[in-house]
Amino acid sequence: MSQIKLDLPSFFDKDTLLAPDLTELHDPWRYVDMHCHLDRMANAAEVAMRAQEHRIAILCTTVTPDDVASAQDVLAESGNVRIAAGLHPWWVTDDPEGTADAEQAAALAAASDCVGEIGLDFSPAHKHNARAQIAAFEQIVSACAAKPRRDRVISIHAVRAASDALDILEAHGLPDHATCIFHWFSGTSADLDRLRRLGCHISVNERMLATKRGREYARQMPLEQLHLETDAPPQLDVRPQREISPQSDASPQLSAPYPVDELEHSLSRTLEALARIRGVEQEELAARMAQTSSEVLGV
């Protein structure tokens, strides 16, 4: 993977294009998508523009360090989007290239207000490189802890690894000075209790709420620690390989556009299900969650 040389402090400063001036946006956000792989969509700029028209803000979670700069190029004019610096555990490798990726991801994360997607995945398909995943995750978390930033938000992937992820976050004191959000949380009930005690958050999507465990976790979570997400596009779930072709070192992109209104529809379906689960009015829940997520994300 190529190495991008960036002026890290200026690249991630809130006065740069990564965090555009939002003072002209007077209406509150209707929804905030707190975990979306927007840059993986062939029509990312169009989807972002339609989302802004419908008052939807988005945290764009990246999966490799190289993706950060390319996402910035595509989404620089999208005032409703925050771009997070990530290294998805599926893209962690136990080789010199993987070591370089982890180092670059840690440097980018330390200089960013938004970090993700990072984390651990010990499911059968990915546990073969658990040691490399732990090393990369801990390096990124340690870098963030060493360079605390006001209002940092971190989106975390933890599959069959919630306890390990919490161990690393707690060891570095990260929940004390960052909003750590476990996306699509699937750990044990004990993990959820610990997560809540540490002040971490979760983000939920409609696929999570399709499961009994997911619904119960969404019911139990304090509202101020609960967010909506889409985790779109779904194709990412079945394309963990890095390369588009044997000759390419680029991260895979979607070959087809994403439906421009699907983010809104997915968020609406998730919110509707969540309102039923929690026994509250949908409109009130929407307003409270949008306010909480907007404050966390700084939009």
Side-chain angles (χ1 to χ4, degrees):
M1 186 176 293
S2 60
Q3 297 296 300
I4 303 172
K5 294 183 179 179
L6 301 171
D7 179 357
L8 296 177
S10 63
F11 187 79
F12 285 103
D13 189 86
K14 284 190 174 180
D15 294 330
T16 68
L17 287 174
L18 188 62
D21 182 8
L22 302 176
T23 56
E24 296 182 0
L25 298 177
H26 301 294
D27 293 333
W29 300 110
R30 293 175 53 238
Y31 301 119
V32 181
D33 185 345
M34 291 296 278
H35 189 98
C36 176
H37 298 286
L38 181 63
D39 62 308
R40 293 288 159 144
M41 302 173 187
N43 58 335
E46 181 187 11
V47 173
M49 181 176 66
R50 179 63 63 90
Q52 182 157 344
E53 291 171 354
H54 290 227
R55 306 200 331 266
I56 300 170
I58 301 168
L59 176 61
C60 173
T61 49
T62 58
V63 300
T64 74
D66 285 0
D67 289 345
V68 177
S70 59
Q72 174 62 16
D73 289 341
V74 172
L75 299 166
E77 300 301 320
S78 302
N80 58 326
V81 177
R82 292 286 186 264
I83 299 170
L87 177 57
H88 195 294
W90 293 354
W91 274 266
V92 172
T93 58
D94 190 10
D95 56 26
E97 186 175 32
T99 299
D101 285 349
E103 291 175 354
Q104 188 181 8
L108 291 171
S112 177
D113 291 319
C114 299
V115 179
E117 179 172 2
I118 63 172
L120 305 171
D121 193 319
F122 297 166
S123 62
H126 303 287
K127 66 180 180 181
H128 62 278
N129 69 337
R131 183 175 299 181
Q133 290 183 42
I134 290 171
F137 183 59
E138 186 150 27
Q139 187 170 2
I140 295 168
V141 169
S142 176
C144 289
K147 297 286 186 180
R149 293 172 69 90
R150 182 174 59 86
D151 300 329
R152 178 179 276 136
V153 57
I154 304 175
S155 188
I156 299 164
H157 175 116
V159 175
R160 301 192 182 184
S163 180
D164 298 87
L166 288 166
D167 285 346
I168 292 171
L169 293 172
E170 188 172 18
H172 292 278
L174 212 59
D176 293 333
H177 54 79
T179 301
C180 298
I181 305 175
F182 282 76
H183 104 91
W184 196 339
F185 182 74
S186 60
T188 67
S189 58
D191 292 330
L192 184 72
D193 289 343
R194 182 182 176 195
L195 178 157
R196 292 172 57 179
R197 290 197 306 271
L198 289 173
C200 298
H201 297 210
I202 67 171
S203 54
V204 303
N205 58 53
E206 56 186 318
R207 287 173 286 174
M208 176 179 170
L209 298 184
T211 69
K212 182 177 180 180
R213 175 185 290 187
R215 290 191 295 272
E216 182 58 22
Y217 286 175
R219 186 190 66 79
Q220 292 181 22
M221 203 67 186
L223 189 54
E224 63 272 16
Q225 293 169 255
L226 187 64
H227 308 271
L228 300 176
E229 65 161 69
T230 61
D231 197 24
Q235 289 90 337
L236 185 76
D237 296 343
V238 295
R239 296 191 63 182
Q241 73 274 17
R242 172 179 301 183
E243 297 184 346
I244 300 173
S245 69
Q247 292 78 34
S248 172
D249 67 353
S251 298
Q253 302 291 328
L254 293 182
S255 59
Y258 189 77
V260 292
D261 292 322
E262 180 54 26
L263 283 185
E264 180 178 14
H265 294 161
S266 178
L267 292 166
S268 178
R269 290 190 297 264
T270 302
L271 184 71
E272 182 180 0
L274 195 57
R276 289 197 304 269
I277 291 165
R278 296 180 69 97
V280 297
E281 291 294 328
Q282 185 171 333
E283 293 77 11
E284 179 184 354
L285 182 64
R288 291 188 61 185
M289 293 189 72
Q291 180 179 356
T292 297
S293 298
S294 297
E295 291 173 355
V296 167
L297 197 55
V299 292

